[in-house]
Every structure is written in structure tokens, then in C-alpha cells.
Amino acid sequence: MSSWNPRQNPASSSNPNRNENPARSGTKRKLRLFGVDIEFDDQSTAADASQHRHGSSGASANHASEDDDGKSLKVNVWTPSGEMIVILMRQDDTVSSLQEELEKEIDIPADDQALTYKQYWLDSENTFKDYGIETSCTVHVGWKPYSYKTKTMRGRTGDMMTAAARLCQGQSDPSLKVDVRKFVPHFLEKARNDGEEMCRRYFDVFTSMSAAYMLSRLYLSHIETNKKLGGRVIERFMAGAAKLRKSLQPYALPSVFQFCIHLRTMDPREPLYILCRSTMRSLVDIAFHPKYAHVEGNDWLRENNDMLGFESRKHLAMMMFPHLSDEDEFPTGLIRRSNLLDDSFGHIAQTHAEHIRDGVSIKFRNEEATGPGVLREWFILVSKELFNPHNALFMANTNDHRRLYINPASKVEASHLKYFQFCGRVIALALIHDVQIGIAFDRVFFVQLAGFDVQLEDIRDTDPTLYRSCNQILEMDADLVDSDALGLTFVAEYEEFGCRQVVELCRGGARKRVNSSNRRDYVSALIHNRFVMSTKKQVTRFRKGFEDIISNRERLSFFFNCINLEDLDRMLTGSDSDISVEDWKMHTDCKGYKDTDRQIRWFWKIIDKMSPEERRNLLFFWTSIMYLPIHGFSGLARRLEIYKAPGTTNHLPSSHTCFFHICLPVYESYKMMQERLALVVDKHVATSFGNV
């Protein structure tokens, strides 16, 4: 419909001169009263017919006259086909109740019904009493305007899919290609011009009918003409989705994602697949912009983030953080290297969160260097101190010593809870500044940060002994368990500070025997006590520190629900591969030197013979980066540069870590350069003077 007047009877919309009440139009009309059809002409009114019907059925008449409390009412509903339906309601019934009754009688879903009474549009959440209706009323029902448009779009989409299916079957009727080719321009034009609500409904139609699947199937067809047609149509869809107003773009996300799913069987270097992925990435940027946070497309994306790639999941998660401010606005902490942890705690933990939420800056006392290179160095150094398993805060995973989880006995340190909050802030700030600090967390700890219950499989690596014991209890013969051969009750025993502790896992647990029917409850309670209750305060304070930076609890929960443990590993530890010398050379330029100079050839030859740890220390001296991003040197913000250093060859190399510059003197021999670089990659030198 091009227009819709709420005061106009939908049945008479095509003829504005028609009498408003179809029952008085001078022609035969049909009245449906309590499910029975009655015909009448212009000599009898709807009210007469209604009275006739009441008289013919005592039961119905009695029902209609029930008004003992004055709250019953009779609703006369005129339908688009010219029928009247009489429905008994009560004053305190909602309009949605009437719509549900009408759905049983007419072919209009309740959500698509537009009801009018006099000059009012009836809101489904209001009651009849809200409109002052006390005894009876006449209501007109019709389709909501957007319902017609949705129905039309569904038909156009179905026609396109039928045409595409016939083409895939080998039919060559030119009209089929026309139906497919014209669909996307028409669809996108309607999505752009019919308003936000209709845009959302159009893309819902496209997604629910799997139109992307049919167009993708056309492109993947072995028939060359189909492939070209499908490619052009999909390209046009992607271009059109990207050109929608930003407030509309999130609605296109599910459809674009469907194309990515259906086309992922092709070569990932295929231009069309790359276009689909890049379009999805640009739509994700818009979908999670604070201005468009209300858009329903975001809900779909949150529920399906596990189907996205790492980069997309990381992007979604990081959009929960505030944007970094200009570096000049960061509060600068003055840190003594000799008192690194205490000074850092004072600057980060004891500063109000809103003052460091947008970023931090660090300066080491008695050193001139400042900037991002110094900040990266500080993150690496303070993280090594803070997350050192030899301290009381964290313990190393039994099977993977890189992974850390909270030490239940951390309370031996009086200020441990403050330090856990400090840890949370440091991790969040490292993520904001995109610094890989080489810290990996255990699955048990990650599950707790995400707000989930710790399950048996989560503890496989954390406590292999307990994991095996619990599995044995669950897999043991039921009769053996019921015979009390294990002698288990709902208690947990553990040692703390040299003393044996016994804790009941439930009320009266010491008297509750473990049997085949409750053994799963016992295992769950045991794990909950061992890994949740024993570290609840520490996890809460760590989350609080993280929340201080990300700004609220909802964003924190979404962050950890948006990624998995492996994603967090990549974000905090970067690449787990040894540094590639070839990759290093490919991303390094020479300034003052030529690639063919002997000093440059010696330089790469020496690096090639270094151990992985020595290479890492040299890279740290050069850039203040100890752990490369997952994409290696290509993931860095800039290329590395080797500068020819003026002056005597007795000097050691120096670096400007903020700019990824290393200044290399013109050493006269291979041996001399090797000796100088050996001093630089010494662990003490590399981590103490990396910002020279």
C-alpha cells in the first residue's frame, strides 16, 4: 500500500466514497458471530444480525449478556474482506488478547494486525479500559503497512531463488537471468529508502530464506555463465551493503556472514571471498560503534562470534575498550628500575581508574627516553615480576609451565588482593596498548574470568591427578560405588601451610555418602570447592582491576565471552614460533648502509647463528618488543631500520626503540661485530638499556 489512514476502513481503502460501515452498503454482507457465518443485506444491520444470532442460541446469548461486574464488553471487528467478527472481551484485557483471537479467524498474524477504534490506533500493550471502552465497540483490522512490504519482498526473494535454482539445474531461459540480476538492485534500493524498520525486516527475509546460499551456489556452479552472473550479483550486494547508511549497515551483517560461510570452500585468495570478508569486517566496525550499540544485528553477531576468525573476534572484543587518547594526555609514571614493582603498583593501582583508562605513559628515573618504546619495555619488565610463579600470586600449570592460574594460598601475602586488582589493570592496559607481554593463563582461570562454572574437562591440565581421580569415580561400576568401597563422603581434604584442612562440600556433607546416583554432584562440588571457592576473592579482585579499565562489568563479560583461551594467548603472548631471520630481513631497511655492505652481511650472519633467546633479546634491545604478534614482523606498526652510526668502532650498538632504529657502528671485522652484539644480547644488558 502506498498510504494507510488509521481512520479509514481497510476494506474500503480502494474507494474513499464508500460508506464506512460495509453492513450498510446496500449489498450482501457476511457476519461471523461466535464462529458462525450469517449473511445479511442493506435492509438489516450488523446489529440486527447480531441480535438474531443471540436469539438463536441461548448459550451464546447468555454468554454475551454476562455483565455482572460491568467489565464484559462486545467487540465488533470489521475485516479487510468485509466480514464482521464479534468477540467477547473484558475491559482489562489487552489489545494483544484480541489480536490473538483474531489470528484464529483471519489470515493475518497477530504481530501484523493494525487495529483502529474511532481515531485511535490500538496499541497491543494497552487494555480496552485505557481507551475508555466500557460496553461495546467497533474495531477495524487490517495489515500493518510494513507487513505488506515484507510479504512483497518475500515473494520477490522467492522468485529470485527459484530462477537461480533453475539456472543451476542447467536451464538457459534468459528471463531467469533477468530475475536474478534485477533482484539485488531492487532489494538494496528498498533497504535504503523504506526506513530502518523495513531495512531490518528485508534483511531478515534475505537471511531466513537463505538467499545467500542460492546466490553462492550459482557462483560455485560448473556452468561458466552462472558463475559470472553469481559473481556480479554478489559483488553488487557487497558494494550496496557497504554503502548503506551507517545506522542500517549492522542489519546486513547476518546476510554478509552467510555469503562468507557458503563461499569459504573456495581458495581464500579468491577476490570474491576476500571482498566478502572485508565487507564483513567493515560492517563489524560499524555494528560495535557506541552510536549503533542498540542495533539488533549486534545480538546476532554476539551469538555467532565463535564462527568468526581470530582477527574478527579480537576486533569485537577490543571494541569494548575505550579508545586511546593522545599520548601527551597520558598520566606519566616515574619508575625506578631498582624499585620497579612497588613504584609501578603506586602509579597503576593507586591512581583513579578514569585517569589511566585511556592509556598510560612511563618514564624511568634518571633516563631521558620516553614514548611507546619505554612503555613497551615497562610492560615486559613489570609483567615478568608480577606474574612470576615464584611469587605467591600465581602458580604454573602442571603440564604447561607457561600457563598460570591463581595460587589458592596467595593470602600468605597480606596485600595479595590489592595486587590481584593491580594484575587485572596491567593486563587490560597491555591489551589497550597492544603489547604482547608473554603471559598465558590457564583454562581454569580463563573460564572464571569469563564468568562460567569450572567443569571437569577444564582441570585436565591444571590438576591431572584430580582429573584422573574424578574420571575414575564417574566411570566406576555403579554397584561398586554403591557398596561404599571408596568410603567417600561429601567432604574435601587439602593441606594449607602444613596443616590438614577438611571442608564439607554441602550441609551435612560428612554424613552424606557418595553413591552412583550422586557421584556427579560430588565431582562438581569437589571441583567447585578446589578451583572456585578457594580463589573466589582473588578472581573477583582481578576482574575488578580489568573492569576498572574496560569501564563496566557488562563490557568485561562480553570481552571474555567474545574470545576463547587461544585468542587471549595470541593477544598477550603473540607468536609462539621462533623468530625467523628471513622474515626479519624482509621487514628491515638500511639507512646509510647498503644491503651489500659487509657490515650488513656480517650482521645477518651473526643473527642467523644466535639462539632463539639471543634473537629475542636483540629484538627487545632494538624495539622493546620481546614477543612478536602472531603474524610476525608484518604485524608490527612499522618497519625496522639499521642506521650507520658515526664515530668510533669501540662503541656498542645503540637503539631508538620508539622508532625501531638500531645504530650500528662501522665495525672493521666480523669478530669485532660479533663481540659487540654478544654484549648487547646478554640478558642483563638487553633488558636494562633497551631504550638507549
Side-chain angles (χ1 to χ4, degrees):
M1 293 177 69
S2 59
S3 62
W4 184 67
N5 186 346
R7 299 186 184 184
Q8 184 179 21
N9 181 3
S12 61
S13 60
S14 61
N15 184 359
N17 297 319
R18 180 179 292 181
N19 189 304
E20 181 179 354
N21 190 338
R24 301 184 183 274
S25 63
T27 58
K28 286 283 185 178
R29 295 293 168 190
K30 183 185 291 184
L31 167 69
R32 181 175 296 172
L33 190 62
F34 307 123
V36 178
D37 293 336
I38 301 175
E39 287 190 353
F40 57 94
D41 54 27
D42 60 339
Q43 301 302 317
S44 60
T45 65
D48 295 333
S50 178
Q51 184 62 42
H52 170 74
R53 174 59 183 153
H54 287 310
S56 66
S57 173
S60 296
N62 290 339
H63 182 56
S65 63
E66 286 179 1
D67 197 18
D68 296 339
D69 55 7
K71 292 185 177 180
S72 297
L73 59 90
K74 180 177 66 175
V75 182
N76 304 314
V77 184
W78 286 106
T79 71
S81 62
E83 298 177 81
M84 175 184 277
I85 302 174
V86 179
I87 298 178
L88 296 181
M89 306 295 293
R90 296 174 64 83
Q91 290 183 34
D92 55 0
D93 285 337
T94 61
V95 174
S96 62
S97 301
L98 174 61
Q99 291 172 315
E100 291 171 2
E101 291 298 321
L102 284 173
E103 186 173 7
K104 303 173 185 177
E105 303 289 341
I106 61 178
D107 189 26
I108 305 179
D111 290 342
D112 292 331
Q113 295 172 20
L115 300 180
T116 58
Y117 167 67
K118 294 184 178 179
Q119 72 271 32
Y120 303 113
W121 288 10
L122 300 184
D123 190 294
S124 59
E125 296 182 0
N126 290 340
T127 66
F128 292 99
K129 188 175 182 180
D130 293 333
Y131 294 101
I133 301 173
E134 297 181 353
T135 56
S136 66
C137 66
T138 298
V139 172
H140 297 258
V141 61
W143 286 85
K144 291 179 180 177
Y146 60 71
S147 299
Y148 281 113
K149 294 180 179 180
T150 304
K151 192 175 183 180
T152 301
M153 183 58 71
R154 190 174 290 276
R156 291 290 296 265
T157 305
D159 291 343
M160 179 277 293
M161 295 178 68
T162 299
R166 291 172 65 184
L167 288 171
C168 289
Q169 292 169 358
Q171 298 185 31
S172 56
D173 187 343
S175 65
L176 300 177
K177 296 181 180 180
V178 172
D179 287 344
V180 174
R181 187 168 57 249
K182 288 186 174 181
F183 170 76
V184 166
H186 170 78
F187 177 90
L188 292 171
E189 181 183 5
K190 300 292 287 182
R192 281 194 303 268
N193 300 330
D194 285 5
E196 184 169 337
E197 173 62 21
M198 288 313 307
C199 180
R200 180 183 71 81
R201 287 175 173 266
Y202 290 153
F203 278 108
D204 282 348
V205 168
F206 192 93
T207 304
S208 64
M209 294 184 68
S210 299
Y213 165 74
M214 189 55 66
L215 291 174
S216 299
R217 183 181 167 194
L218 195 65
Y219 176 74
L220 297 173
S221 170
H222 65 279
I223 302 174
E224 189 62 28
T225 54
N226 288 350
K227 184 178 182 68
K228 290 181 179 179
L229 175 62
R232 287 196 299 269
V233 171
I234 295 173
E235 287 174 0
R236 189 154 190 175
F237 186 93
M238 295 300 151
K243 291 179 181 178
L244 289 171
R245 294 195 308 275
K246 289 186 177 181
S247 61
L248 302 181
Q249 288 184 16
Y251 297 125
L253 258 175
S255 302
V256 174
F257 180 74
Q258 280 190 343
F259 278 112
C260 293
I261 291 297
H262 297 313
L263 296 175
R264 63 183 174 183
T265 56
M266 42 194 308
D267 188 333
R269 296 168 295 182
E270 190 83 22
L272 184 63
Y273 183 69
I274 294 174
L275 174 63
C276 292
R277 297 287 295 185
S278 64
T279 303
M280 186 174 74
R281 177 63 180 269
S282 68
L283 296 185
V284 166
D285 287 343
I286 298 299
F288 280 86
H289 190 284
K291 185 176 180 180
Y292 310 110
H294 66 284
V295 176
E296 293 183 16
N298 294 347
D299 296 333
W300 173 89
L301 200 56
R302 292 185 182 104
E303 294 170 2
N304 294 274
N305 68 75
D306 59 319
M307 301 180 70
L308 304 177
F310 162 69
E311 291 295 342
S312 295
R313 290 196 299 270
K314 175 186 174 183
H315 186 67
L316 294 181
M318 291 307 300
M319 290 188 77
M320 296 299 102
F321 281 105
H323 292 291
L324 285 175
S325 301
D326 293 334
E327 187 177 336
D328 293 340
E329 299 178 8
F330 295 164
T332 301
L334 191 59
I335 307 298
R336 292 169 294 176
R337 290 185 182 270
S338 60
N339 201 36
L340 177 72
L341 199 55
D342 289 344
D343 285 0
S344 300
F345 179 84
H347 176 56
I348 301 298
Q350 297 181 0
T351 300
H352 197 283
E354 67 181 24
H355 295 149
I356 60 173
R357 187 171 290 153
D358 297 334
V360 294
S361 177
I362 296 294
K363 188 178 189 307
F364 289 108
R365 183 168 292 183
N366 300 324
E367 297 180 18
E368 294 183 2
T370 59
V374 177
L375 180 64
R376 290 193 296 267
E377 181 184 5
W378 172 80
F379 269 120
I380 295 293
L381 299 181
V382 77
S383 297
K384 283 188 174 182
E385 290 286 331
L386 195 55
F387 295 96
N388 190 332
H390 295 294
N391 295 331
L393 299 180
F394 291 90
M395 299 176 65
N397 184 294
T398 304
N399 286 349
D400 185 350
H401 294 294
R402 298 176 309 141
R403 297 195 175 277
L404 305 175
Y405 65 97
I406 290 178
N407 181 2
S410 64
K411 60 186 177 183
V412 67
E413 171 61 50
S415 57
H416 72 127
L417 294 181
K418 292 181 180 180
Y419 268 87
F420 276 113
Q421 188 167 343
F422 175 40
C423 289
R425 288 190 174 192
V426 168
I427 291 297
L429 288 169
L431 289 168
I432 287 181
H433 287 277
D434 196 21
V435 178
Q436 286 74 44
I437 56 177
I439 300 300
F441 291 127
D442 177 88
R443 182 168 300 279
V444 166
F445 186 36
F446 177 81
V447 167
Q448 291 174 285
L449 291 176
F452 297 122
D453 291 331
V454 179
Q455 305 293 330
L456 178 58
E457 284 303 313
D458 297 326
I459 73 168
R460 178 194 291 265
D461 295 324
T462 309
D463 193 333
T465 302
L466 180 60
Y467 174 78
R468 286 193 297 270
S469 299
C470 289
N471 264 325
Q472 289 172 358
I473 293 172
L474 295 177
E475 296 170 359
M476 193 172 291
D477 181 75
D479 292 337
L480 182 61
V481 177
D482 291 336
S483 70
D484 199 24
L486 299 176
L488 295 175
T489 58
F490 275 68
V491 298
E493 298 183 8
Y494 62 95
E495 185 174 310
E496 185 177 64
F497 306 127
C499 300
R500 178 173 171 271
Q501 304 287 339
V502 179
V503 178
E504 289 189 326
L505 301 177
C506 63
R507 182 174 295 181
R511 300 185 303 275
K512 185 176 181 179
R513 297 288 179 181
V514 175
N515 55 45
S516 59
S517 62
N518 65 20
R519 56 182 168 182
R520 290 193 178 277
D521 295 335
Y522 168 74
V523 167
S524 297
L526 193 64
I527 292 172
H528 185 76
N529 176 77
R530 169 70 177 83
F531 295 101
V532 179
M533 296 307 297
S534 63
T535 60
K536 185 176 182 179
K537 292 181 179 179
Q538 295 95 316
V539 172
T540 299
R541 291 299 288 270
F542 186 101
R543 283 173 58 94
K544 178 63 173 65
F546 201 99
E547 181 185 326
D548 289 342
I549 306 302
I550 207 169
S551 79
N552 64 57
R553 188 169 301 173
E554 289 73 23
R555 287 174 175 264
L556 180 148
S557 296
F558 178 74
F559 176 88
F560 283 107
N561 281 271
C562 199
I563 60 175
N564 55 42
L565 177 60
E566 290 71 25
D567 293 338
L568 188 61
D569 288 346
R570 293 171 176 175
M571 295 163 72
L572 290 178
T573 67
S575 173
D576 57 0
S577 302
D578 290 340
I579 296 176
S580 166
V581 179
E582 286 303 315
D583 189 30
W584 199 338
K585 289 172 66 175
M586 286 176 57
H587 292 85
T588 302
D589 299 323
C590 295
K591 302 292 183 178
Y593 282 113
K594 296 180 181 179
D595 291 339
T596 55
D597 287 343
R598 58 178 184 171
Q599 285 80 11
I600 298 301
R601 289 187 281 108
W602 291 341
F603 181 78
W604 292 119
K605 184 177 180 180
I606 292 169
I607 293 179
D608 194 47
K609 293 183 177 181
M610 287 181 178
S611 68
E613 183 180 2
E614 288 173 333
R615 291 178 191 172
R616 199 177 296 279
N617 285 341
L618 176 60
L619 178 64
F620 185 68
F621 173 83
W622 191 338
T623 63
S624 288
I625 293 172
M626 185 163 283
Y627 306 96
L628 286 171
I630 61 168
H631 298 302
F633 287 92
S634 64
L636 297 180
R638 62 171 70 227
R639 292 176 63 83
L640 284 70
E641 294 179 320
I642 303 174
Y643 274 74
K644 180 184 284 189
T648 176
T649 57
N650 292 327
H651 289 173
L652 291 173
S654 62
S655 64
H656 302 281
T657 58
C658 294
F659 305 105
F660 295 180
H661 294 174
I662 188 169
C663 300
L664 189 67
V666 187
Y667 295 117
E668 297 176 354
S669 68
Y670 175 87
K671 184 177 180 181
M672 180 183 291
M673 181 182 291
Q674 188 176 38
E675 290 173 350
R676 300 297 190 272
L677 288 177
L679 290 173
V680 166
V681 300
D682 178 80
K683 187 174 182 180
H684 174 74
V685 175
T687 57
S688 297
F689 302 99
N691 64 330
V692 172

